[in-house]
Amino acid sequence: MIACGMSVADFGTRLRAWRRVRRVSQLDLSLTCAVSQRHISFLESGRSQPSRRMVLALAEALDVPLRERNGLLGAAGFAAEFRESSLDGPVMAPAREALARMLRYHEPFPAVVVDRDFNLKMSNRAFDRLLALLGDPDAIWQASCGAGPRNLLQLTLAAGGARAAIRNFDTVAPMLLNRAWHEALARGAEIGPVLRELRAAPDLAEHWRVSDGIHPGVPVVPVTLAHGDASLSLFSMISTFGTPYDVTADELRVESFFPADPATEAALRALGTDGES
C-alpha cells in the first residue's frame, strides 16, 4: 500500500535522480540487482511498484546514504529501515566510546567528530588547545557561528573565526568549499544552510573556484596557521564508520589533523606537554 501523500512516481523520480548522481545506467543497475532493464525503467516511470526488498537492494547498489534510503522507502510506501539515534543516547554508547578513544589516541594532534553538515560533535584536547592559540575559544565560536551550532566550516571560513590566522586562506578556502559542495552532492541531499550562507557571502564569492596555486604534485593541502612569528602547518584525514546501520553513525566523520612538517610536530607535542603540566 502506498503511504498517504506518496505515490509510486515519487519513488521513481528519486531512483532516477540517485542513478544519475552515481552515473549508473539502467542496464548496469539491472545487472547488479539481477532484474531486467525494463523493470528498472518501469520503476522509474511509475508503471511498477517496488517491493521493500527491491528498494533496499537498489539503494545498496547505488550506495545511497541511510537517511536517503529511508526516504526512498517512504516514497515507495514503506516504513523506515534505519533508526536515527542520539549520539548521547544508550544505543550509540559503543560508537561514542570508540570515537572518544580515537580522539584520545590521536593526542597530541588535533581531531574532531563532525556530522554531515560539519557541526562539531566531539573534539580532543589538542584541538581545543590549538583553537586557544588563536584567542578565546568561546569568543571565536561566537564570532563565527553566532547562536547556531558550532560548525567547522564556519569556524574556518567565516569572518571572525579562525580565518584571519590562516596564512594560505586563498588556497584552503576553495578546496574546503568545493569539498563540502561535492560531499553534499554525493549525498543527493539539499545543500545545508551553513554552506548556502557561506556560498552567498560576498567576501567568499571569489573563492568558489579551483585554486591554481596548488602544485599538482602535492598529495595533501596543508592549512598553515599563524602563531606569533611562527607557523603551524597541518593536513587532515577523514575516517567514517565502515558498516553503519544507524543514520547518526552513517553521517559522522572523524577528521584527524597531522603535522605537515617537523617544526609543527614539535610545537604540538610541546603544547600537549604544557597542557598536562
Side-chain angles (χ1 to χ4, degrees):
M1 180 178 295
I2 303 302
C4 180
M6 293 289 186
S7 70
V8 176
D10 292 320
F11 171 81
T13 299
R14 295 187 188 205
L15 176 61
R16 184 184 306 109
W18 271 109
R19 185 173 57 75
R20 290 175 176 173
V21 165
R22 296 296 187 242
R23 298 182 179 180
V24 174
S25 68
Q26 287 186 345
L27 177 59
D28 287 340
L29 183 59
S30 68
L31 292 173
T32 301
C33 295
V35 296
S36 69
Q37 181 179 353
R38 182 182 183 187
H39 186 54
I40 299 295
S41 177
F42 277 21
L43 289 174
E44 291 188 357
S45 67
R47 295 178 65 182
S48 293
Q49 179 179 346
S51 66
R52 182 184 184 86
R53 183 175 180 180
M54 177 54 64
V55 174
L56 292 172
L58 292 166
E60 178 70 21
L62 294 171
D63 192 25
V64 177
L66 301 192
R67 182 181 298 277
E68 281 70 35
R69 294 191 195 195
N70 283 342
L72 282 170
L73 285 166
F78 301 110
E81 174 79 5
F82 305 98
R83 64 186 172 192
E84 182 176 3
S85 305
S86 169
L87 182 58
D88 298 325
V91 171
M92 288 292 291
R96 189 172 61 250
E97 176 58 26
L99 292 168
R101 288 189 180 189
M102 290 180 68
L103 298 184
R104 187 165 61 249
Y105 292 160
H106 196 62
E107 296 276 358
F109 307 133
V112 296
V113 178
V114 296
D115 65 15
R116 71 176 190 168
D117 293 317
F118 291 84
N119 292 318
L120 184 71
K121 296 300 181 183
M122 302 170 68
S123 63
N124 66 1
R125 291 182 298 172
F127 178 82
D128 299 334
R129 290 193 298 266
L130 180 65
L131 188 56
L133 288 179
L134 310 182
D136 177 65
D138 289 336
I140 293 173
W141 282 118
Q142 176 65 31
S144 57
C145 303
R150 293 185 170 186
N151 185 278
L152 213 61
L153 272 182
Q154 287 177 299
L155 174 69
T156 307
L157 300 176
R163 171 176 173 174
I166 302 176
R167 290 185 171 177
N168 60 336
F169 185 79
D170 287 345
T171 297
V172 170
M175 300 301 293
L176 184 55
L177 287 165
N178 279 283
R179 168 191 151 190
W181 177 262
H182 285 294
E183 284 186 12
L185 292 180
R187 295 197 313 264
E190 293 184 2
I191 305 303
V194 168
L195 189 54
R196 285 200 302 270
E197 179 181 332
L198 289 171
R199 190 186 184 201
D203 58 337
L204 285 176
E206 64 182 87
H207 294 97
W208 280 94
R209 54 178 172 74
V210 176
S211 172
D212 54 8
I214 300 174
H215 191 279
V218 176
V220 294
V221 179
V223 179
T224 304
L225 300 173
H227 175 43
D229 295 331
S231 296
L232 296 176
S233 191
L234 301 148
F235 67 92
S236 68
M237 294 180 63
I238 296 171
S239 305
T240 60
F241 283 95
T243 53
Y245 288 93
D246 185 284
V247 172
T248 299
D250 187 42
E251 295 178 350
L252 291 175
R253 302 193 306 278
V254 179
E255 187 151 10
S256 304
F257 296 87
F258 295 85
D261 55 49
T264 298
E265 178 173 355
L268 292 175
R269 290 190 182 280
L271 190 62
T273 302
D274 292 342
E276 293 172 357
S277 60

